[in-house]
């Protein structure tokens, strides 16, 4: 007799496989698609709970690259595979000033004297109309979160060759200057950050730290005990302003990088030295603080060898993560829990280095590597599933009808198992012999007889 094939289970298995292919988590595919080239001396800025934005850098092959990307701080990840996402390509360069606007919607970069702005909403870079004249290597920038003014210490060259602070007003895209105390030496490769609790700018150079506020100007600030690095370190403030972290750099008189980390409790103005990372000592890293984690990406290690001079190594591959609460280096970044809001969209715009509510929309609107729309995927998969199941049912019914016994008039009739009194249509029913699903068909003929 004709044997039946389980058509419907096979169709379901095929459709289930298709669903798995189409419904892979978007962030996993995004991570696998993009891997940035390792660099040091990249320019960076960050929004806590949103992203660490990294631009340009030096990959140690004698070239500069226009690489632009972000590490997603709204999702959790491991240091072996940070959540990278592409950002529209910005200007070429390394160690140039970079900061975010006070409303968090624009990213400013100063390269070869020109100011460039990335508008996150339009995903378009534009160039400011005038050249600032600041063609200086090793600058850094910070944003006054109250006035929106951008500060670049020693970014302006005066007619007599001396240097002063450069300020940028993004409201009218204009440059101006601001005098710096003559007690502060003009340097490059310094570190700078704006702190919301101090309502001022912290500037670190030559193992000393200074503070600037628009009302009091430049003053000395207490430095951490044991700070040996003189330049090449990074310094960042937490979104609430309660902590400042200073990490890495070159020590005075030597060219061997260090892995020291210092944490400032702003409330008590007390510095604490954390656990050093000697195996991951580096300088010129891109840094951030998010959800009580300090993050350092890239950077370069150098060793001072008296006989052979300085031995510089390629940019560091390991992304560093320091748990500020547990006071130790860790490997897993845990993203902050999104905070639902009921306010207007404009009021939800996150501030640079602040703790904003995490929104669903992505600041980076670059479509080259953006995650696909989840609802579109669900709708497409559901449509394929419904159509496939319908086709499978139709095919199964056609196959079933071919094997059903018919009487003289071509009508299907019931098979009656005289032993179990079970009524069956076609080949499905209660099988008294569980050895094989086709036992009843093999044991009885089409008229219910042995």
């Amino acid at each position: 007799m004709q044997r039946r094939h389980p058509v419907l289970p096979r169709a379901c298995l095929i459709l289930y496989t298709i669903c798995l292919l189409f419904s892979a988590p978007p962030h996993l595919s995004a991570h696998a698609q993009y891997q940035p080239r390792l660099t040091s001396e990249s320019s960076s800025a960050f929004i806590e709970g949103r992203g660490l934005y990294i631009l340009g850098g030096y990959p140690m092959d004698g070239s500069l690259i226009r690489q632009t990307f972000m590490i997603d701080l709204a999702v959790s990840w491991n240091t072996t595979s940070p959540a990278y996402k592409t950002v529209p390509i910005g200007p070429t360069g390394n160690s140039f000033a970079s900061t975010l606007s006070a409303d968090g919607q624009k990213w400013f970069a100063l390269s070869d004297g020109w100011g460039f702005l990335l508008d996150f909403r339009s995903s378009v870079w534009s160039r400011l109309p005038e050249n600032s004249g600041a063609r200086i290597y090793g600058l850094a920038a910070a944003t006054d979160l109250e006035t929106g003014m951008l500060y670049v210490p020693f970014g302006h060259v005066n007619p007599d060759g001396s240097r002063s602070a450069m300020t940028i007003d993004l409201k009218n895209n204009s440059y101006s200057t601001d005098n710096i105390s003559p007690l502060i030496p003009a340097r490059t490769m310094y570190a700078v950050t704006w702190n919301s609790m101090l309502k001022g700018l912290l500037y670190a150079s030559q193992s000393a730290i200074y503070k600037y506020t628009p009302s009091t100007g430049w003053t000395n600030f207490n430095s951490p005990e044991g700070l040996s690095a003189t330049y090449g370190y990074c310094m960042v403030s937490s979104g609430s302003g309660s902590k400042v972290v200073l990490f890495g750099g070159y020590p005075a008189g030597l060219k061997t990088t260090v892995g020291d980390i210092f944490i400032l409790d702003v409330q008590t103005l007390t510095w604490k030295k954390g656990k050093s990372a000697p195996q991951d000592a580096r300088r010129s890293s891109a840094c951030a603080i998010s959800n009580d984690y300090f993050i350092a990406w890239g950077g370069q290690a150098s060793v001072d060898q008296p006989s052979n001079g300085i031995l510089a190594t390629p940019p560091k591959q390991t992304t560093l993560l320091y748990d500020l609460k547990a006071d130790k280096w860790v490997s897993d970044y845990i993203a902050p829990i999104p905070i639902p809001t009921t306010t207007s969209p404009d009021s939800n715009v996150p501030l640079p280095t602040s703790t904003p509510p995490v929104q669903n929309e992505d600041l980076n609107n670059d479509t080259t590597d953006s995650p696909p729309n989840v609802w579109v995927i669900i709708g497409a998969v559901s449509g394929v599933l419904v159509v496939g199941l319908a086709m499978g049912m139709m095919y199964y019914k056609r196959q079933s009808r071919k094997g059903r016994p018919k009487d003289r008039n071509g009508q299907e009739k019931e098979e009656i198992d005289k032993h179990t009194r079970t009524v069956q249509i076609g080949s499905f029913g209660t099988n008294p012999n569980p050895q094989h699903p086709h036992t009843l068909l093999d044991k009885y003929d089409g008229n219910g007889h042995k």
Side-chain angles (χ1 to χ4, degrees), residues 264-302:
L264 173 67
D265 184 331
V266 177
Q267 187 70 34
T268 61
L269 297 181
T270 303
W271 287 96
K272 177 185 70 174
K273 185 176 182 180
K275 294 178 173 60
S276 297
Q279 302 301 320
D280 287 298
R282 59 186 70 185
R283 67 169 181 86
S284 305
S285 301
C287 301
I289 295 178
S290 181
N291 201 29
D292 286 312
Y293 293 96
F294 167 77
I295 304 114
W297 181 90
Q300 185 179 25
S302 301

Side-chain angles (χ1 to χ4, degrees), residues 37 84 89 212 418:
R37 191 174 177 186
Y84 296 122
I89 298 296
Y212 171 83
K418 296 180 179 179

Side-chain angles (χ1 to χ4, degrees), residues 343-373:
T343 54
S344 62
D346 289 341
S347 63
N348 289 332
V349 174
L351 298 179
T353 66
S354 64
T355 309
V358 179
Q359 305 298 315
N360 291 329
E361 81 274 5
D362 193 350
L363 280 180
N364 169 29
N365 296 322
D366 179 20
T367 57
T368 59
D369 195 31
S370 58
N373 188 292

Side-chain angles (χ1 to χ4, degrees), residues 250-257 301-312:
Y250 276 141
L254 296 175
K255 299 300 181 183
T256 301
T257 49
S302 301
V303 178
D304 191 4
Q305 297 179 320
S307 58
N308 300 323
I310 300 174
L311 174 63

